[in-house]
Structures are given as structure tokens and as C-alpha cells.
């Protein structure tokens, strides 16, 4: 176990190691497992897709990483018991059951194949034509026995716009067709912002898709959302002490109007709550203090949420006077 933290520079690392469960996380993991097990039980049948779309910093990628680290690594070690002594972080990178691919901006066919090859650990992911790269990707996916694919930042997939050069339109169509064909062979989880839905889910993908995975935002006017959000704040408080960031759980996270203030200043996104709490603790530790206080959270909101436009006033300073609408929370600007 790590010693009690005394240096603000180490707060970020310890927060990055946290994995906090909540009902949306658990529902997402259950969907991942359902699709993966379908591939295992019927490897040659047409597979299905699912979507995990929510605003930036909602905790989507963290949930995917948790699933790979906690579920897939354990499954893979049953096949590769000789690897058991390696660190969990290394095992998550080298396991060959689930592939995590992060797409680059404005994804073309060449870019899509290179992103896959990078994720697969290819030493020369940019060599060859798009068709040659596609052949290499499919060969590795099949030969290594991958059971599920996570395609992150899918809002970057190019779509056919019927404007511009014919070659660009053809390239966008080929990207879409490749994704549609791969859904038949491997279960794919499409991860991205809300904008990704219009990019990915045209008819042929929709007909092979499970119910979209709900992942927020969580609004205090909705009783179940409020419950999930408040319980997350409580679990985060406990994790801060478990990871030896502070000696005692910062009970302020569940005290009075603090959960509501965090809800407003994060637009109900759990990943942003973690960022704000981490920044508040960094400020406290840098001042030699051992307790997270309201003024630290207030400063974090000023430095982060207000600066990037997540909220238009600081509820820790003014009090939670106005709660934005559900529609405002859903915007990802």
C-alpha cells in the first residue's frame, strides 16, 4: 500500500488509479459481457453492436478500462497462466480478448486501419495501402482470437456528405462499410460523445445493435439520477482515503449542498466530478493541509469548470441558485 500522500504532484497518479462503480457503470459492463459471451458461444454467427455515448468526461473510457483490467485480464490469464506475475497494467495492454482503439480526428480509411494497427501493437502501422492494412488488421484479430472491440472517439468517423471530391465521398463510404462488416464478425462497442450517434448509427448498424447504454448526464431533478450521483460522491470520498490521498475520507463531498454544487459545476458528469475533487485536493495538499474544504472546491470550479464553460456561475461561491435544465446538461459543447 502507498504511504500517505504528502506531495501534490502525486495526487494525479493516485486519482488515475481509481475505479469507482455506479449503476450505469455496472449496466455497461453487463452489456460488454453479454456481447462478448455471444461471440464466445457462437463465434461464426453474426455479432451485435452497442453504443456508449455521453458528454466528454462522463467516465466512459474509465469504464471500458475497468472492464479490460478487471474482467478480461482474469479471463485471459486462464488461457495464459504463465503471465500471472506481470503487473495488472501490463496485462491489460497485452491481453488479446478485448481491443481498445482510440480513433484520430477526421478518420479516413487509411487512418482507421492505422489506428487499429497501433492498438494491435504493430511495429509499422502506416505501411501499405488501406486494403493491405485492412488485411493485416483482420488477420491479427482472427488469429489472436479477439472477442470484443471498443471503438472510442467514434464521432471522428467520416461520413458521406455528398459534397467535395468523389474520392473523399468514396473513402467515407468505405469507412462506414468496413465498420458495418466488422460488426457482423466481432461485437463492437461504439464509444463517443452524443455527436457520434449520427455518425455511426445508420440503418444497417442499427439493425445489429443492442439498446444504447445509458451513461448520463445525471440531473438532480430526477430522483434516480440524484441518488446515483450522491452515492458516487460518497464512494469517491471513501476511495480518497483508500488510495491514501488523504488520511480520512473527505466527508464534505456528501455534506449539505456540496453534492448539488458538484452536480451543477460538472453538468452531472461523474468524470468531471472526479477532476474537480482531484484539483481541490491538489490545492489543499500544496498548502500543506490535510482536509478538503469548500474553498478548495470553489477554487477548482473557478479554475476548471468556469474556464471551459461547463457552468456559467460558481455554485460553491454563490450557492446553488439556478439548476440548469436537463437539456442544458445534455449539451456537449
Amino acid at each position: 500500500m502507498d504511504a500517505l500522500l504528502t506531495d501534490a504532484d502525486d495526487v494525479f497518479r493516485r486519482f488515475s488509479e481509481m475505479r469507482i462503480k455506479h449503476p450505469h457503470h455496472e449496466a455497461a459492463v453487463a452489456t460488454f459481457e453479454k456481447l462478448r459471451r455471444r461471440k464466445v458461444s457462437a463465434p461464426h454467427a453474426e455479432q451485435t453492436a452497442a453504443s456508449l455515448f455521453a458528454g466528454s468526461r462522463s467516465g466512459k473510457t474509465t469504464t471500458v478500462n475497468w472492464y479490460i483490467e478487471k474482467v478480461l485480464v482474469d479471463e485471459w490469464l486462464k488461457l495464459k497462466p504463465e503471465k500471472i506475475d506481470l503487473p495488472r497494467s501490463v496485462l491489460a495492454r497485452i491481453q488479446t480478448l478485448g481491443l481498445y482503439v482510440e480513433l484520430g480526428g477526421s478518420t479516413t480509411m487509411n487512418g482507421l486501419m492505422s489506428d487499429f494497427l497501433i492498438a494491435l501493437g504493430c511495429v509499422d502501422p502506416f505501411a501499405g495501402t488501406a486494403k493491405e492494412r485492412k488485411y493485416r488488421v483482420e488477420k491479427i484479430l482472427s488469429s489472436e482470437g479477439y472477442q470484443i472491440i471498443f471503438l472510442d472517439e467514434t464521432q471522428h468517423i467520416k461520413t458521406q456528405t455528398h459534397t467535395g471530391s468523389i474520392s473523399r465521398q468514396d473513402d467515407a463510404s468505405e469507412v462506414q462499410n468496413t465498420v458495418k462488416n466488422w460488426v457482423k464478425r466481432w461485437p463492437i462497442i461504439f464509444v463517443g460523445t452524443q455527436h457520434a450517434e449520427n455518425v455511426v448509427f445508420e440503418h444497417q448498424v442499427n439493425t445489429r445493435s443492442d439498446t444504447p447504454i445509458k451513461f448520463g448526464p445525471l440531473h438532480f431533478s430526477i430522483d434516480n439520477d440524484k441518488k446515483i450521483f450522491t452515492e458516487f460522491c460518497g464512494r469517491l470520498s471513501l476511495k480518497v482515503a483508500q488510495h491514501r490521498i488523504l488520511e480520512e475520507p473527505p466527508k464534505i463531498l456528501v455534506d449539505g449542498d456540496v453534492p448539488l454544487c458538484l452536480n451543477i459545476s460538472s453538468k452531472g458528469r461523474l468524470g468531471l466530478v472526479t477532476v474537480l475533487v482531484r484539483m481541490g485536493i491538489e490545492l489543499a495538499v500544496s498548502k500543506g493541509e490535510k482536509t478538503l474544504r469548500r474553498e478548495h472546491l470553489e477554487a477548482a470550479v473557478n479554475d476548471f469548470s468556469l474556464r471551459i464553460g461547463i457552468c456559467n456561475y460558481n455554485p460553491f461561491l454563490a450557492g446553488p441558485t439556478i439548476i440548469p435544465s436537463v437539456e442544458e446538461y445534455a449539451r456537449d459543447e
Side-chain angles (χ1 to χ4, degrees):
M1 178 183 292
D2 285 332
L4 183 64
L5 187 146
T6 57
D7 187 347
D9 292 338
D10 203 29
V11 174
F12 182 89
R13 177 184 68 81
R14 298 199 188 186
F15 262 81
S16 70
E17 294 170 350
M18 284 185 187
R19 300 290 185 264
I20 303 175
K21 293 182 180 181
H22 53 86
H24 289 178
H25 160 99
E26 291 169 340
V29 168
T31 298
F32 302 163
E33 268 295 88
K34 178 176 67 175
L35 268 60
R36 185 184 72 86
R37 291 189 180 279
R38 286 177 181 171
K39 174 66 173 176
V40 173
S41 63
H44 304 298
E46 288 195 3
Q47 302 301 316
T48 49
S51 62
L52 180 56
F53 299 147
S56 302
R57 306 302 284 267
S58 296
K60 306 179 298 292
T61 303
T62 300
T63 290
V64 172
N65 288 335
W66 185 96
Y67 174 72
I68 292 172
E69 293 168 2
K70 303 296 185 183
V71 178
L72 295 189
V73 165
D74 286 344
E75 287 293 307
W76 189 68
L77 286 174
K78 295 175 184 177
L79 304 173
K80 304 281 186 179
E82 70 277 8
K83 305 286 188 180
I84 198 167
D85 291 331
L86 292 173
R88 178 69 56 155
S89 58
V90 173
L91 292 170
R93 292 195 302 270
I94 66 174
Q95 57 77 33
T96 55
L97 298 184
L99 181 68
Y100 172 80
V101 182
E102 183 175 356
L103 299 182
S106 191
T107 298
T108 61
M109 190 62 185
N110 271 325
L112 178 67
M113 295 305 108
S114 291
D115 288 338
F116 265 81
L117 289 169
I118 290 169
L120 289 165
C122 179
V123 295
D124 197 358
F126 304 104
T129 65
K131 288 184 178 180
E132 289 168 341
R133 296 181 210 184
K134 180 182 176 184
Y135 172 79
R136 289 156 59 198
V137 169
E138 293 179 342
K139 183 177 180 181
I140 297 171
L141 288 171
S142 296
S143 63
E144 294 292 341
Y146 279 93
Q147 298 171 355
I148 190 168
I149 296 170
F150 297 92
L151 204 53
D152 204 350
E153 303 293 347
T154 48
Q155 67 273 8
H156 294 317
I157 293 177
K158 291 182 68 174
T159 56
Q160 190 173 9
T161 61
H162 304 292
T163 60
S165 68
I166 296 297
S167 63
R168 288 185 179 180
Q169 294 179 45
D170 288 345
D171 191 57
S173 295
E174 192 172 0
V175 168
Q176 290 278 358
N177 289 334
T178 296
V179 171
K180 285 186 290 188
N181 288 331
W182 281 359
V183 168
K184 298 177 185 178
R185 300 173 61 184
W186 294 279
I188 297 179
I189 308 295
F190 295 100
V191 184
T193 66
Q194 299 97 318
H195 307 298
E197 184 172 3
N198 295 328
V199 173
V200 174
F201 281 93
E202 52 85 64
H203 180 68
Q204 288 186 341
V205 174
N206 246 334
T207 58
R208 295 181 175 87
S209 301
D210 270 47
T211 303
I213 301 167
K214 178 175 170 56
F215 219 79
L218 301 168
H219 198 278
F220 250 50
S221 69
I222 302 171
D223 288 342
N224 192 52
D225 284 6
K226 180 179 179 180
K227 180 175 183 290
I228 293 171
F229 191 93
T230 304
E231 288 178 352
F232 179 87
C233 291
R235 291 176 180 177
L236 176 56
S237 176
L238 293 174
K239 285 285 186 178
V240 166
Q242 289 173 6
H243 284 258
R244 304 288 287 160
I245 297 169
L246 296 177
E247 190 170 3
E248 297 291 334
K251 295 181 180 179
I252 187 175
L253 297 182
V254 292
D255 185 41
D257 67 355
V258 169
L260 175 56
C261 291
L262 286 171
N263 186 263
I264 294 170
S265 55
S266 67
K267 268 190 174 178
R269 302 178 193 177
L270 299 180
L272 283 177
V273 174
T274 304
V275 171
L276 292 171
V277 172
R278 187 252 301 164
M279 292 180 70
I281 291 176
E282 284 175 334
L283 178 60
V285 174
S286 69
K287 293 181 175 182
E289 300 176 19
K290 298 181 179 180
T291 304
L292 178 67
R293 299 201 304 275
R294 190 182 185 94
E295 66 191 63
H296 302 135
L297 295 171
E298 174 192 321
V301 172
N302 281 335
D303 292 345
F304 187 74
S305 298
L306 278 174
R307 176 175 57 82
I308 66 175
I310 294 294
C311 55
N312 54 23
Y313 77 100
N314 191 332
F316 286 102
L317 180 63
T321 55
I322 301 173
I323 304 176
S325 66
V326 173
E327 292 75 20
E328 177 65 25
Y329 270 37
R331 292 177 188 167
D332 187 29
E333 300 169 345

